[in-house]
Amino acid sequence: MKRFWLLLLVSAFTLVFASELNVAVLGDVRSLNPFLVKSSAERIVVGYLYETLLTESAGQIVGALAEDFQVDFSNNSLILRLKDRKFHDGSPVTADDVVFSFNYILQKRLPLGPILAYFTGAEKIDEKTGRLKFRTVNVSMLSFAPMAVPIIPKSIWEKIDKPLEFPNIEKPIGSGVLAFEKLTPQSVVMKFFKDHPDAPKQLDGVVFHIVQDETMGFLGLVKGDYDYLFWNLDPELAKHVMDNPKKYPDVKVALIEGGVVNVILFNHRKAPMNDVNFRKAVLYALNYQELVEKVYSGLADVASLGLIPRRAKGVFDESVGCVQRNISMAKEFLKKCNYDGKKLTLLVSSDRKTMDMAEYIRLYLKDVGIQVELDVQGPEGLTTKLKKADFDLALYSYSLGSHPEMVFYHLHSSRGEMKDGQVVGFNYGGVNIPELDAALESIWMAFSERDRVDAFMGLQKLFAELVPVVPLLVPVDIEAYSTKNFTGWVVLPGEGVMNAETFKSLKPVR
């Protein structure tokens, strides 16, 4: 009888002190299908549900589901051995699931297909070992297919004939640190998967609260309704919080080196944007430091002329440097090109920060004799115009901090071809410079880390010469969290606040 009451007391204690982290995310959650992610909120939740074979930690490629891996150059393949891991339904993750996950993408022509451009198929070696086969193998392959493709359970997905019509919101099963509990119009409730090695013992789960407005999200953080905001805080607001700690005693701001590069795209299919002299005139017309201060309240860095951000530490070339405004040089370059003074369009997103930057850029260009008018579009309109190459210049951004090899997809001529009135890849500007193509291809021909670094170094120097796009700024990642309900937050360089160490260290404030 005493044992019964003791167990009841323990259960009651656990119930009272059950701990859930409350996180705010932006956008709707209508699908948890990893191949149909559209909103920021969906991308975040899916990232915790599903895992890949490899991941990145402290700038190094490490195993996620894979215990170890080796490149077999003789057979153009990557061999990976799996850890002893389980899916959320208790079934083991096997080589069959890995082979199915990769081949399924090709068979069903799923949106991740471009990531597998050089991939030819996967095969099972034994229950815990699989082989990924490619047309050619190089060191950059590790940053793509094994780090991008979610491993899904074959037993479930082999029954899904039309995956692009499958919302996957009833009972999604992955192997990630968080397992699905329920979806409501206001939130996604997830519990820590106790069989996962990174699952903390002192936390029960995470509730992702769906919010549509950043201001309301911040007010919720101040009140203690939310413990973390899963988006970058506005720089002006971040500065206000940091300058007034007494007003916001529980709100903390973490500044993380950014990996996203803001750029000006040129539509190389048109004159004068296809003239390097015009592109250099734009390059030297801009006041980059003023953009840092006025648009980002100082919480950004001027981008390297080589385009690759400092966060891509292994391949970043410090010697390329940044550019400074030089109006006389801008005017000299403008004289050398065939610009006739006509008004050009600058395609921009309708969000406030981009609009502010665009207005400054418009004035800078006017100072040197380049006339532009803003073409302001919402997210869908912007994407449509980019895909149709319906612009002269455009404000855009490249995420290159973790995967600098993505520059190939943004600037190689093969990714900018038009088919049925649409750009086939991410090279919306239609950059088509043979010398640049050769340099981009050299990345994919790098069969050692030394070759890869050398290829990137040469590429960055070429960027500075040819200016296929104008690198603008690299905004600092600004994360906001609250210590009102939990202590033990850990900020890691390159990873930020929501990391495995934070999960293990967080303790509820009693």
Side-chain angles (χ1 to χ4, degrees), residues 68-235:
D68 55 56
F69 55 91
Q70 64 184 65
V71 179
D72 182 354
F73 288 108
S74 63
N75 288 307
N76 285 339
S77 62
L78 182 65
I79 300 171
L80 303 105
R81 181 158 184 81
L82 297 174
K83 299 175 181 177
D84 290 326
R85 297 286 286 277
K86 293 179 180 179
F87 287 112
H88 300 147
D89 62 1
S91 62
V93 179
T94 69
D96 286 323
D97 299 300
V98 171
V99 171
F100 174 81
S101 298
F102 278 82
N103 290 340
Y104 189 69
I105 291 172
L106 293 187
Q107 292 163 4
K108 301 295 184 180
R109 298 185 179 182
L110 299 177
L112 282 175
I115 299 292
L116 303 181
Y118 292 87
F119 175 72
T120 59
E123 63 183 22
K124 174 182 175 180
I125 295 176
D126 59 42
E127 284 301 308
K128 285 293 181 182
T129 313
R131 182 192 301 272
L132 306 181
K133 299 180 290 183
F134 301 88
R135 285 199 298 274
T136 181
V137 168
N138 57 56
V139 293
S140 295
M141 291 298 179
L142 297 178
S143 297
F144 278 83
M147 294 178 69
V149 174
I151 303 306
I152 54 178
K154 177 182 177 182
S155 60
I156 294 173
W157 286 82
E158 66 182 349
K159 301 170 187 174
I160 310 300
D161 186 50
K162 297 180 178 180
L164 294 181
E165 298 176 10
F166 177 53
N168 194 33
I169 55 175
E170 295 298 323
K171 194 178 180 181
I173 299 294
S175 62
V177 69
L178 287 170
F180 178 82
E181 282 286 309
K182 65 179 179 178
L183 170 66
T184 74
Q186 294 80 35
S187 67
V188 183
V189 181
M190 304 180 77
K191 297 295 183 183
F192 280 105
F193 182 41
K194 296 307 179 182
D195 284 332
H196 195 286
D198 291 334
K201 296 179 179 179
Q202 76 284 5
L203 295 176
D204 290 337
V206 179
V207 179
F208 294 95
H209 297 270
I210 301 167
V211 301
Q212 304 298 328
D213 181 83
E214 291 186 16
T215 301
M216 295 305 295
F218 177 74
L219 292 176
L221 184 76
V222 174
K223 288 170 59 181
D225 295 338
Y226 308 135
D227 303 303
Y228 177 78
L229 303 183
F230 228 125
W231 60 80
N232 275 330
L233 203 63
D234 180 83

Side-chain angles (χ1 to χ4, degrees), residues 16 27 53 65 70 86 154 156 161 189-190 262 318 343 352 388 416 419 451 474 483:
V16 169
L53 292 170
L65 285 174
Q70 64 184 65
K86 293 179 180 179
K154 177 182 177 182
I156 294 173
D161 186 50
V189 181
M190 304 180 77
N262 294 335
E318 181 84 42
K343 189 167 285 188
R352 183 178 64 84
K388 290 183 177 180
K419 185 177 181 181
D451 290 343
V474 180
T483 55

Side-chain angles (χ1 to χ4, degrees), residues 352-371:
R352 183 178 64 84
K353 193 163 302 303
T354 306
M355 290 276 290
D356 288 348
M357 183 178 290
E359 190 57 40
Y360 279 108
I361 289 171
R362 185 185 70 80
L363 295 174
Y364 298 150
L365 295 180
K366 184 179 179 181
D367 286 344
V368 301
I370 300 174
Q371 304 297 320

Side-chain angles (χ1 to χ4, degrees), residues 486-504:
F486 292 92
T487 60
W489 298 90
V490 179
V491 181
L492 296 180
E495 293 185 45
V497 176
M498 286 289 279
N499 55 67
E501 291 304 314
T502 284
F503 285 156
K504 292 176 182 177

Side-chain angles (χ1 to χ4, degrees), residues 241-493:
V241 172
M242 291 187 290
D243 291 343
N244 296 275
K246 291 183 179 179
K247 186 175 180 180
Y248 305 101
D250 301 316
V251 177
K252 307 301 175 186
V253 173
L255 304 179
I256 314 298
E257 188 173 60
V260 174
V261 187
N262 294 335
V263 299
I264 294 179
L265 299 185
F266 298 100
N267 192 339
H268 287 243
R269 304 172 185 87
K270 301 179 180 180
M273 283 68 68
N274 58 356
D275 189 326
V276 66
N277 292 301
F278 178 80
R279 301 195 297 270
K280 286 188 176 181
V282 174
L283 175 74
Y284 284 103
L286 309 182
N287 189 332
Y288 300 90
Q289 197 55 51
E290 187 173 59
L291 289 176
V292 168
E293 298 301 328
K294 299 292 187 181
V295 180
Y296 283 95
S297 301
L299 297 177
D301 296 309
V302 177
S304 165
L305 266 172
L307 185 62
I308 303 301
R310 188 179 299 275
R311 185 160 161 178
K313 299 186 186 304
V315 297
F316 175 71
D317 188 351
E318 181 84 42
S319 69
V320 174
C322 306
V323 72
Q324 291 186 356
R325 191 183 198 197
N326 190 320
I327 292 179
S328 61
M329 281 186 68
K331 289 181 176 180
E332 284 301 312
F333 278 116
L334 198 59
K335 289 178 184 177
K336 296 178 183 178
C337 73
N338 58 356
Y339 176 58
D340 59 7
K342 70 177 181 180
K343 189 167 285 188
L344 304 170
T345 60
L346 175 60
L347 179 64
V348 299
S349 168
S350 58
D351 68 274
R352 183 178 64 84
K353 193 163 302 303
T354 306
M355 290 276 290
D356 288 348
M357 183 178 290
E359 190 57 40
Y360 279 108
I361 289 171
R362 185 185 70 80
L363 295 174
Y364 298 150
L365 295 180
K366 184 179 179 181
D367 286 344
V368 301
I370 300 174
Q371 304 297 320
V372 300
E373 61 182 358
L374 305 187
D375 181 2
V376 182
Q377 298 286 332
E380 289 187 10
L382 182 78
T383 301
T384 298
K385 287 212 161 193
L386 287 171
K387 286 185 175 180
K388 290 183 177 180
D390 183 15
F391 65 94
D392 296 323
L393 300 92
L395 282 185
Y396 194 61
S397 61
Y398 297 150
S399 183
L400 301 172
S402 299
H403 301 289
E405 292 86 358
M406 280 299 294
V407 72
F408 178 95
Y409 293 95
H410 290 299
L411 293 173
H412 192 273
S413 62
S414 64
R415 311 312 301 163
E417 296 173 358
M418 301 289 292
K419 185 177 181 181
D420 299 326
Q422 300 272 328
V423 182
V424 297
F426 300 131
N427 179 5
Y428 298 122
V431 179
N432 188 352
I433 306 173
E435 190 179 0
L436 183 61
D437 275 356
L440 289 164
E441 288 161 9
S442 68
I443 295 172
W444 294 103
M445 298 305 292
F447 294 101
S448 70
E449 186 58 29
R450 182 67 261 167
D451 290 343
R452 175 176 176 266
V453 172
D454 289 344
F456 268 105
M457 295 296 172
L459 183 65
Q460 288 167 84
K461 289 179 172 60
L462 196 59
F463 282 153
E465 223 178 281
L466 300 175
V467 194
V469 300
V470 170
L472 295 170
L473 308 177
V474 180
V476 172
D477 287 345
I478 309 171
E479 300 186 40
Y481 60 98
S482 169
T483 55
K484 184 173 185 177
N485 303 315
F486 292 92
T487 60
W489 298 90
V490 179
V491 181
L492 296 180

